[in-house]
Amino acid sequence: MIELIQKVVDKLLKVKSVVVFTGAGVSAESGVPTFRDKDGLWQKLKPEELANFNAFLRNPDLVTEWYSHRRKIMHEVQPNPAHYAIAELEKYFERFTVVTQNIDNLHRRAGSKKIFELHGNIERNYCIQCKKFYDLGDNYPDKAIYCECGGLIRPDVVWFGEMLPEDEYEGAVNAAKTCDICFSVGTSAVVFPAAYIPIYAKQNGAFLVEINPNQTDLSKMADLVIQGKAGEVLPKIVDEFKKRKKEI
Ligand code: BJW
Ligand code: ZN
C-alpha cells in the first residue's frame, strides 16, 4: 500500500485543485451504517419503501421513525480519522472541495469548510405544504409530525425520483470539471446523478483515485485504486503529504 500512497502524494504535491467525493463508507468507521454493504441499512428495509416521497405519504409514521432513529445515531457518533484527514488536507490547497452524498454532517463537524451536500442534510426538516423549516434538536419523534399549517414535516434529504439541490449540484459539477485530482471515497458510485461527479472529473483530465475496501463500478475507470478503509488510508496519505511538503 505504501507505494500507492507515494504515488498519490507525488500527484498531490503537483496539483492545485482537489475534489473529494464521499459516500456512506467514509462514515462507516464512525458507526453510521452504509446502505448496500452486507450489514447495510437496506438488507433489512427496502429503499423503495422508505427513501421516496410516495412511501412517506403512504406511511409517514414509519419513515419519520426511521429518520429519527438514524438522526439519533448521527448525533451520537463522532467524525473519524477519515473526516479529519480530509479537513486537514483542505488547509494546503486554494481550491479544495468536498462533495458528499452523506446527510450526516460529519464532514462539517470534522472542520471541512467547502462542502457540497448532494443528498441534503438530516439536521434540516421542512413542511411539505408551506416549506417552513424546523429544527428538531434533540427530539426524535416516533410518529409523523405536522406543521402549524397542518402539512407533514419531512427531512430535507433527497429521495429517489427527486431532484438534487440545484446550487449544490452545480457547484459540485463545476468543481469536478475543473479539478486536477479527484478522490472517490467510500461510495458504491451507483446512485446518479451524484455518481457523475468522479466521471466528470476523469473526463476532464483529472487523476482519479478510489479508496474503498471493495471494488465498485468506478474501479475500472480509476487511475489508482487503494483497497482499504478510508479511516486507515486517508490519514496515511495526509501524513506522507505533510512530510514531503516539509522536505521541499
Ligand atoms: C467503505 C468502508 C470504509 C464500506 N472505508 N469505504 C441515471 C441518471 C440519473 C438518475 C438515474 C440514473 N439511473 C437511475 C436514476 C435514478 C436514481 C438512481 O440513481 N437509481 C440507481 C440506484 C439505479 N436517482 C435518483 O432518483 C436521484 N434523482 C434523480 O435522478 O432526479 C432526477 C429525476 C427526477 C424525477 C424523475 C426522474 C429523475 C436521487 C437519488 C437520491 C438518493 N438518495 C439516497 C437517500 C438519501 C437520504 C437518506 O440517507 O436516507 O442517498 S439513496 C442512498 O444511496 C443515499 C446515498 O447517498 C446514496 C449513495 O450510497 P453510497 O454512499 O454510495 O453508499 P453504499 O452503501 O451504496 O456504498 C458504501 C460503500 O462504502 C461501499 O462501496 C463499501 O465497499 C464502502 N465502504 N466501509 C471506505 N471503512
Ligand atoms: Zn406548513
PDB file of all heavy atoms in Angstrom, residues 125-153:
ATOM      1  N   ASN A 125     -35.323  19.958   8.530  1.00  0.00           N
ATOM      2  CA  ASN A 125     -36.635  19.372   8.230  1.00  0.00           C
ATOM      3  C   ASN A 125     -37.532  20.488   7.732  1.00  0.00           C
ATOM      4  O   ASN A 125     -37.348  21.642   8.128  1.00  0.00           O
ATOM      5  CB  ASN A 125     -37.261  18.776   9.500  1.00  0.00           C
ATOM      6  CG  ASN A 125     -36.483  17.568   9.975  1.00  0.00           C
ATOM      7  OD1 ASN A 125     -36.751  16.450   9.580  1.00  0.00           O
ATOM      8  ND2 ASN A 125     -35.476  17.796  10.808  1.00  0.00           N
ATOM      9  N   TYR A 126     -38.466  20.157   6.876  1.00  0.00           N
ATOM     10  CA  TYR A 126     -39.374  21.211   6.418  1.00  0.00           C
ATOM     11  C   TYR A 126     -40.771  20.665   6.151  1.00  0.00           C
ATOM     12  O   TYR A 126     -40.966  19.471   5.940  1.00  0.00           O
ATOM     13  CB  TYR A 126     -38.811  21.944   5.191  1.00  0.00           C
ATOM     14  CG  TYR A 126     -38.757  21.121   3.925  1.00  0.00           C
ATOM     15  CD1 TYR A 126     -39.814  21.131   3.012  1.00  0.00           C
ATOM     16  CD2 TYR A 126     -37.646  20.333   3.640  1.00  0.00           C
ATOM     17  CE1 TYR A 126     -39.762  20.383   1.850  1.00  0.00           C
ATOM     18  CE2 TYR A 126     -37.588  19.574   2.482  1.00  0.00           C
ATOM     19  CZ  TYR A 126     -38.644  19.601   1.591  1.00  0.00           C
ATOM     20  OH  TYR A 126     -38.604  18.851   0.447  1.00  0.00           O
ATOM     21  N   CYS A 127     -41.733  21.611   6.176  1.00  0.00           N
ATOM     22  CA  CYS A 127     -43.135  21.282   5.932  1.00  0.00           C
ATOM     23  C   CYS A 127     -43.352  21.119   4.428  1.00  0.00           C
ATOM     24  O   CYS A 127     -42.943  21.979   3.653  1.00  0.00           O
ATOM     25  CB  CYS A 127     -44.002  22.401   6.482  1.00  0.00           C
ATOM     26  SG  CYS A 127     -45.692  22.331   5.881  1.00  0.00           S
ATOM     27  N   ILE A 128     -43.986  20.012   4.032  1.00  0.00           N
ATOM     28  CA  ILE A 128     -44.166  19.773   2.596  1.00  0.00           C
ATOM     29  C   ILE A 128     -45.199  20.727   1.992  1.00  0.00           C
ATOM     30  O   ILE A 128     -45.279  20.856   0.778  1.00  0.00           O
ATOM     31  CB  ILE A 128     -44.556  18.304   2.293  1.00  0.00           C
ATOM     32  CG1 ILE A 128     -45.899  17.937   2.918  1.00  0.00           C
ATOM     33  CG2 ILE A 128     -43.469  17.335   2.771  1.00  0.00           C
ATOM     34  CD1 ILE A 128     -46.427  16.564   2.440  1.00  0.00           C
ATOM     35  N   GLN A 129     -45.975  21.414   2.847  1.00  0.00           N
ATOM     36  CA  GLN A 129     -47.018  22.301   2.331  1.00  0.00           C
ATOM     37  C   GLN A 129     -46.556  23.759   2.254  1.00  0.00           C
ATOM     38  O   GLN A 129     -46.573  24.357   1.193  1.00  0.00           O
ATOM     39  CB  GLN A 129     -48.226  22.203   3.255  1.00  0.00           C
ATOM     40  CG  GLN A 129     -49.544  22.355   2.556  1.00  0.00           C
ATOM     41  CD  GLN A 129     -50.658  21.764   3.413  1.00  0.00           C
ATOM     42  OE1 GLN A 129     -51.013  20.589   3.304  1.00  0.00           O
ATOM     43  NE2 GLN A 129     -51.184  22.578   4.324  1.00  0.00           N
ATOM     44  N   CYS A 130     -46.080  24.310   3.392  1.00  0.00           N
ATOM     45  CA  CYS A 130     -45.727  25.741   3.390  1.00  0.00           C
ATOM     46  C   CYS A 130     -44.203  25.948   3.331  1.00  0.00           C
ATOM     47  O   CYS A 130     -43.741  27.074   3.275  1.00  0.00           O
ATOM     48  CB  CYS A 130     -46.308  26.461   4.603  1.00  0.00           C
ATOM     49  SG  CYS A 130     -45.493  26.045   6.156  1.00  0.00           S
ATOM     50  N   LYS A 131     -43.434  24.863   3.360  1.00  0.00           N
ATOM     51  CA  LYS A 131     -41.962  24.871   3.217  1.00  0.00           C
ATOM     52  C   LYS A 131     -41.221  25.498   4.412  1.00  0.00           C
ATOM     53  O   LYS A 131     -40.033  25.786   4.329  1.00  0.00           O
ATOM     54  CB  LYS A 131     -41.497  25.598   1.926  1.00  0.00           C
ATOM     55  CG  LYS A 131     -42.229  25.196   0.659  1.00  0.00           C
ATOM     56  CD  LYS A 131     -41.869  23.783   0.217  1.00  0.00           C
ATOM     57  CE  LYS A 131     -42.572  23.407  -1.077  1.00  0.00           C
ATOM     58  NZ  LYS A 131     -43.303  22.162  -1.050  1.00  0.00           N
ATOM     59  N   LYS A 132     -41.947  25.729   5.508  1.00  0.00           N
ATOM     60  CA  LYS A 132     -41.278  26.266   6.700  1.00  0.00           C
ATOM     61  C   LYS A 132     -40.272  25.228   7.242  1.00  0.00           C
ATOM     62  O   LYS A 132     -40.577  24.035   7.297  1.00  0.00           O
ATOM     63  CB  LYS A 132     -42.332  26.595   7.766  1.00  0.00           C
ATOM     64  CG  LYS A 132     -41.752  27.203   9.013  1.00  0.00           C
ATOM     65  CD  LYS A 132     -42.826  27.557  10.026  1.00  0.00           C
ATOM     66  CE  LYS A 132     -42.139  27.884  11.335  1.00  0.00           C
ATOM     67  NZ  LYS A 132     -42.996  28.080  12.445  1.00  0.00           N
ATOM     68  N   PHE A 133     -39.088  25.757   7.665  1.00  0.00           N
ATOM     69  CA  PHE A 133     -38.058  24.849   8.184  1.00  0.00           C
ATOM     70  C   PHE A 133     -38.218  24.616   9.682  1.00  0.00           C
ATOM     71  O   PHE A 133     -38.621  25.518  10.425  1.00  0.00           O
ATOM     72  CB  PHE A 133     -36.661  25.403   7.884  1.00  0.00           C
ATOM     73  CG  PHE A 133     -36.209  25.012   6.503  1.00  0.00           C
ATOM     74  CD1 PHE A 133     -36.510  25.812   5.406  1.00  0.00           C
ATOM     75  CD2 PHE A 133     -35.543  23.818   6.284  1.00  0.00           C
ATOM     76  CE1 PHE A 133     -36.140  25.441   4.120  1.00  0.00           C
ATOM     77  CE2 PHE A 133     -35.173  23.421   5.007  1.00  0.00           C
ATOM     78  CZ  PHE A 133     -35.464  24.239   3.921  1.00  0.00           C
ATOM     79  N   TYR A 134     -37.895  23.436  10.110  1.00  0.00           N
ATOM     80  CA  TYR A 134     -37.963  23.065  11.525  1.00  0.00           C
ATOM     81  C   TYR A 134     -36.641  22.446  11.967  1.00  0.00           C
ATOM     82  O   TYR A 134     -36.077  21.627  11.247  1.00  0.00           O
ATOM     83  CB  TYR A 134     -39.082  22.033  11.751  1.00  0.00           C
ATOM     84  CG  TYR A 134     -40.461  22.645  11.728  1.00  0.00           C
ATOM     85  CD1 TYR A 134     -41.133  22.841  10.532  1.00  0.00           C
ATOM     86  CD2 TYR A 134     -41.065  23.054  12.910  1.00  0.00           C
ATOM     87  CE1 TYR A 134     -42.395  23.424  10.508  1.00  0.00           C
ATOM     88  CE2 TYR A 134     -42.328  23.637  12.898  1.00  0.00           C
ATOM     89  CZ  TYR A 134     -42.983  23.819  11.699  1.00  0.00           C
ATOM     90  OH  TYR A 134     -44.230  24.394  11.685  1.00  0.00           O
ATOM     91  N   ASP A 135     -36.178  22.864  13.152  1.00  0.00           N
ATOM     92  CA  ASP A 135     -35.008  22.232  13.754  1.00  0.00           C
ATOM     93  C   ASP A 135     -35.538  21.351  14.891  1.00  0.00           C
ATOM     94  O   ASP A 135     -36.082  21.871  15.871  1.00  0.00           O
ATOM     95  CB  ASP A 135     -34.066  23.331  14.288  1.00  0.00           C
ATOM     96  CG  ASP A 135     -32.838  22.737  14.950  1.00  0.00           C
ATOM     97  OD1 ASP A 135     -32.783  21.497  15.105  1.00  0.00           O
ATOM     98  OD2 ASP A 135     -31.933  23.519  15.312  1.00  0.00           O
ATOM     99  N   LEU A 136     -35.378  20.067  14.755  1.00  0.00           N
ATOM    100  CA  LEU A 136     -35.971  19.171  15.763  1.00  0.00           C
ATOM    101  C   LEU A 136     -35.068  18.979  16.977  1.00  0.00           C
ATOM    102  O   LEU A 136     -35.477  18.357  17.967  1.00  0.00           O
ATOM    103  CB  LEU A 136     -36.315  17.819  15.140  1.00  0.00           C
ATOM    104  CG  LEU A 136     -37.316  17.867  13.968  1.00  0.00           C
ATOM    105  CD1 LEU A 136     -37.584  16.455  13.449  1.00  0.00           C
ATOM    106  CD2 LEU A 136     -38.630  18.523  14.371  1.00  0.00           C
ATOM    107  N   GLY A 137     -33.858  19.510  16.899  1.00  0.00           N
ATOM    108  CA  GLY A 137     -32.945  19.445  18.051  1.00  0.00           C
ATOM    109  C   GLY A 137     -32.799  18.027  18.568  1.00  0.00           C
ATOM    110  O   GLY A 137     -32.485  17.109  17.816  1.00  0.00           O
ATOM    111  N   ASP A 138     -33.068  17.852  19.873  1.00  0.00           N
ATOM    112  CA  ASP A 138     -32.929  16.524  20.460  1.00  0.00           C
ATOM    113  C   ASP A 138     -34.257  15.782  20.541  1.00  0.00           C
ATOM    114  O   ASP A 138     -34.410  14.850  21.332  1.00  0.00           O
ATOM    115  CB  ASP A 138     -32.290  16.626  21.856  1.00  0.00           C
ATOM    116  CG  ASP A 138     -30.798  16.912  21.741  1.00  0.00           C
ATOM    117  OD1 ASP A 138     -30.216  16.526  20.707  1.00  0.00           O
ATOM    118  OD2 ASP A 138     -30.233  17.525  22.670  1.00  0.00           O
ATOM    119  N   ASN A 139     -35.225  16.217  19.756  1.00  0.00           N
ATOM    120  CA  ASN A 139     -36.484  15.464  19.687  1.00  0.00           C
ATOM    121  C   ASN A 139     -36.389  14.420  18.586  1.00  0.00           C
ATOM    122  O   ASN A 139     -35.996  14.750  17.459  1.00  0.00           O
ATOM    123  CB  ASN A 139     -37.670  16.392  19.363  1.00  0.00           C
ATOM    124  CG  ASN A 139     -37.908  17.353  20.493  1.00  0.00           C
ATOM    125  OD1 ASN A 139     -37.750  16.990  21.655  1.00  0.00           O
ATOM    126  ND2 ASN A 139     -38.257  18.585  20.153  1.00  0.00           N
ATOM    127  N   TYR A 140     -36.749  13.204  18.930  1.00  0.00           N
ATOM    128  CA  TYR A 140     -36.687  12.117  17.947  1.00  0.00           C
ATOM    129  C   TYR A 140     -38.063  11.467  17.842  1.00  0.00           C
ATOM    130  O   TYR A 140     -38.299  10.406  18.432  1.00  0.00           O
ATOM    131  CB  TYR A 140     -35.625  11.084  18.368  1.00  0.00           C
ATOM    132  CG  TYR A 140     -34.255  11.714  18.557  1.00  0.00           C
ATOM    133  CD1 TYR A 140     -33.746  11.961  19.835  1.00  0.00           C
ATOM    134  CD2 TYR A 140     -33.493  12.076  17.456  1.00  0.00           C
ATOM    135  CE1 TYR A 140     -32.500  12.552  20.000  1.00  0.00           C
ATOM    136  CE2 TYR A 140     -32.246  12.669  17.616  1.00  0.00           C
ATOM    137  CZ  TYR A 140     -31.765  12.895  18.893  1.00  0.00           C
ATOM    138  OH  TYR A 140     -30.538  13.483  19.055  1.00  0.00           O
ATOM    139  N   PRO A 141     -38.979  12.118  17.120  1.00  0.00           N
ATOM    140  CA  PRO A 141     -40.362  11.614  17.092  1.00  0.00           C
ATOM    141  C   PRO A 141     -40.463  10.207  16.503  1.00  0.00           C
ATOM    142  O   PRO A 141     -39.747   9.883  15.554  1.00  0.00           O
ATOM    143  CB  PRO A 141     -41.096  12.613  16.195  1.00  0.00           C
ATOM    144  CG  PRO A 141     -40.039  13.347  15.445  1.00  0.00           C
ATOM    145  CD  PRO A 141     -38.808  13.319  16.291  1.00  0.00           C
ATOM    146  N   ASP A 142     -41.339   9.395  17.103  1.00  0.00           N
ATOM    147  CA  ASP A 142     -41.532   8.046  16.559  1.00  0.00           C
ATOM    148  C   ASP A 142     -42.810   7.955  15.746  1.00  0.00           C
ATOM    149  O   ASP A 142     -43.247   6.884  15.359  1.00  0.00           O
ATOM    150  CB  ASP A 142     -41.479   6.989  17.676  1.00  0.00           C
ATOM    151  CG  ASP A 142     -42.523   7.236  18.742  1.00  0.00           C
ATOM    152  OD1 ASP A 142     -43.344   8.171  18.571  1.00  0.00           O
ATOM    153  OD2 ASP A 142     -42.536   6.494  19.745  1.00  0.00           O
ATOM    154  N   LYS A 143     -43.412   9.133  15.512  1.00  0.00           N
ATOM    155  CA  LYS A 143     -44.605   9.200  14.659  1.00  0.00           C
ATOM    156  C   LYS A 143     -44.494  10.451  13.787  1.00  0.00           C
ATOM    157  O   LYS A 143     -43.720  11.353  14.107  1.00  0.00           O
ATOM    158  CB  LYS A 143     -45.854   9.387  15.537  1.00  0.00           C
ATOM    159  CG  LYS A 143     -46.370   8.134  16.160  1.00  0.00           C
ATOM    160  CD  LYS A 143     -47.772   8.417  16.716  1.00  0.00           C
ATOM    161  CE  LYS A 143     -48.304   7.242  17.476  1.00  0.00           C
ATOM    162  NZ  LYS A 143     -47.490   6.898  18.661  1.00  0.00           N
ATOM    163  N   ALA A 144     -45.306  10.495  12.738  1.00  0.00           N
ATOM    164  CA  ALA A 144     -45.310  11.667  11.854  1.00  0.00           C
ATOM    165  C   ALA A 144     -45.537  12.946  12.663  1.00  0.00           C
ATOM    166  O   ALA A 144     -46.260  12.935  13.658  1.00  0.00           O
ATOM    167  CB  ALA A 144     -46.414  11.514  10.824  1.00  0.00           C
ATOM    168  N   ILE A 145     -44.892  14.036  12.222  1.00  0.00           N
ATOM    169  CA  ILE A 145     -45.126  15.323  12.887  1.00  0.00           C
ATOM    170  C   ILE A 145     -45.653  16.328  11.867  1.00  0.00           C
ATOM    171  O   ILE A 145     -45.339  16.246  10.679  1.00  0.00           O
ATOM    172  CB  ILE A 145     -43.853  15.857  13.586  1.00  0.00           C
ATOM    173  CG1 ILE A 145     -42.615  15.653  12.703  1.00  0.00           C
ATOM    174  CG2 ILE A 145     -43.660  15.203  14.951  1.00  0.00           C
ATOM    175  CD1 ILE A 145     -41.400  16.346  13.228  1.00  0.00           C
ATOM    176  N   TYR A 146     -46.430  17.272  12.380  1.00  0.00           N
ATOM    177  CA  TYR A 146     -47.134  18.197  11.494  1.00  0.00           C
ATOM    178  C   TYR A 146     -46.783  19.635  11.803  1.00  0.00           C
ATOM    179  O   TYR A 146     -46.562  20.016  12.948  1.00  0.00           O
ATOM    180  CB  TYR A 146     -48.660  17.984  11.622  1.00  0.00           C
ATOM    181  CG  TYR A 146     -49.072  16.620  11.105  1.00  0.00           C
ATOM    182  CD1 TYR A 146     -49.012  15.501  11.945  1.00  0.00           C
ATOM    183  CD2 TYR A 146     -49.475  16.447   9.791  1.00  0.00           C
ATOM    184  CE1 TYR A 146     -49.355  14.233  11.472  1.00  0.00           C
ATOM    185  CE2 TYR A 146     -49.823  15.186   9.300  1.00  0.00           C
ATOM    186  CZ  TYR A 146     -49.763  14.096  10.147  1.00  0.00           C
ATOM    187  OH  TYR A 146     -50.089  12.848   9.675  1.00  0.00           O
ATOM    188  N   CYS A 147     -46.776  20.433  10.757  1.00  0.00           N
ATOM    189  CA  CYS A 147     -46.532  21.870  10.849  1.00  0.00           C
ATOM    190  C   CYS A 147     -47.778  22.564  11.406  1.00  0.00           C
ATOM    191  O   CYS A 147     -48.870  22.001  11.384  1.00  0.00           O
ATOM    192  CB  CYS A 147     -46.252  22.355   9.422  1.00  0.00           C
ATOM    193  SG  CYS A 147     -46.050  24.111   9.224  1.00  0.00           S
ATOM    194  N   GLU A 148     -47.602  23.839  11.822  1.00  0.00           N
ATOM    195  CA  GLU A 148     -48.766  24.580  12.315  1.00  0.00           C
ATOM    196  C   GLU A 148     -49.818  24.768  11.211  1.00  0.00           C
ATOM    197  O   GLU A 148     -50.993  24.954  11.488  1.00  0.00           O
ATOM    198  CB  GLU A 148     -48.326  25.937  12.895  1.00  0.00           C
ATOM    199  CG  GLU A 148     -47.497  26.750  11.929  1.00  0.00           C
ATOM    200  CD  GLU A 148     -46.529  27.717  12.618  1.00  0.00           C
ATOM    201  OE1 GLU A 148     -46.217  27.507  13.797  1.00  0.00           O
ATOM    202  OE2 GLU A 148     -46.106  28.667  11.940  1.00  0.00           O
ATOM    203  N   CYS A 149     -49.375  24.667   9.926  1.00  0.00           N
ATOM    204  CA  CYS A 149     -50.328  24.800   8.812  1.00  0.00           C
ATOM    205  C   CYS A 149     -51.042  23.480   8.532  1.00  0.00           C
ATOM    206  O   CYS A 149     -51.900  23.406   7.651  1.00  0.00           O
ATOM    207  CB  CYS A 149     -49.619  25.293   7.554  1.00  0.00           C
ATOM    208  SG  CYS A 149     -48.771  23.986   6.645  1.00  0.00           S
ATOM    209  N   GLY A 150     -50.639  22.423   9.216  1.00  0.00           N
ATOM    210  CA  GLY A 150     -51.289  21.124   9.003  1.00  0.00           C
ATOM    211  C   GLY A 150     -50.506  20.195   8.082  1.00  0.00           C
ATOM    212  O   GLY A 150     -50.834  19.023   7.946  1.00  0.00           O
ATOM    213  N   GLY A 151     -49.448  20.739   7.425  1.00  0.00           N
ATOM    214  CA  GLY A 151     -48.657  19.915   6.486  1.00  0.00           C
ATOM    215  C   GLY A 151     -47.722  18.959   7.222  1.00  0.00           C
ATOM    216  O   GLY A 151     -47.344  19.195   8.376  1.00  0.00           O
ATOM    217  N   LEU A 152     -47.370  17.883   6.525  1.00  0.00           N
ATOM    218  CA  LEU A 152     -46.423  16.919   7.104  1.00  0.00           C
ATOM    219  C   LEU A 152     -45.010  17.502   7.090  1.00  0.00           C
ATOM    220  O   LEU A 152     -44.615  18.171   6.119  1.00  0.00           O
ATOM    221  CB  LEU A 152     -46.393  15.660   6.247  1.00  0.00           C
ATOM    222  CG  LEU A 152     -47.364  14.526   6.571  1.00  0.00           C
ATOM    223  CD1 LEU A 152     -47.379  13.532   5.406  1.00  0.00           C
ATOM    224  CD2 LEU A 152     -46.952  13.827   7.870  1.00  0.00           C
ATOM    225  N   ILE A 153     -44.235  17.210   8.125  1.00  0.00           N
ATOM    226  CA  ILE A 153     -42.839  17.658   8.170  1.00  0.00           C
ATOM    227  C   ILE A 153     -41.940  16.494   7.763  1.00  0.00           C
ATOM    228  O   ILE A 153     -42.078  15.380   8.279  1.00  0.00           O
ATOM    229  CB  ILE A 153     -42.475  18.174   9.576  1.00  0.00           C
ATOM    230  CG1 ILE A 153     -43.314  19.426   9.883  1.00  0.00           C
ATOM    231  CG2 ILE A 153     -40.978  18.498   9.671  1.00  0.00           C
ATOM    232  CD1 ILE A 153     -43.175  19.934  11.301  1.00  0.00           C
TER     233      ILE A 153
END
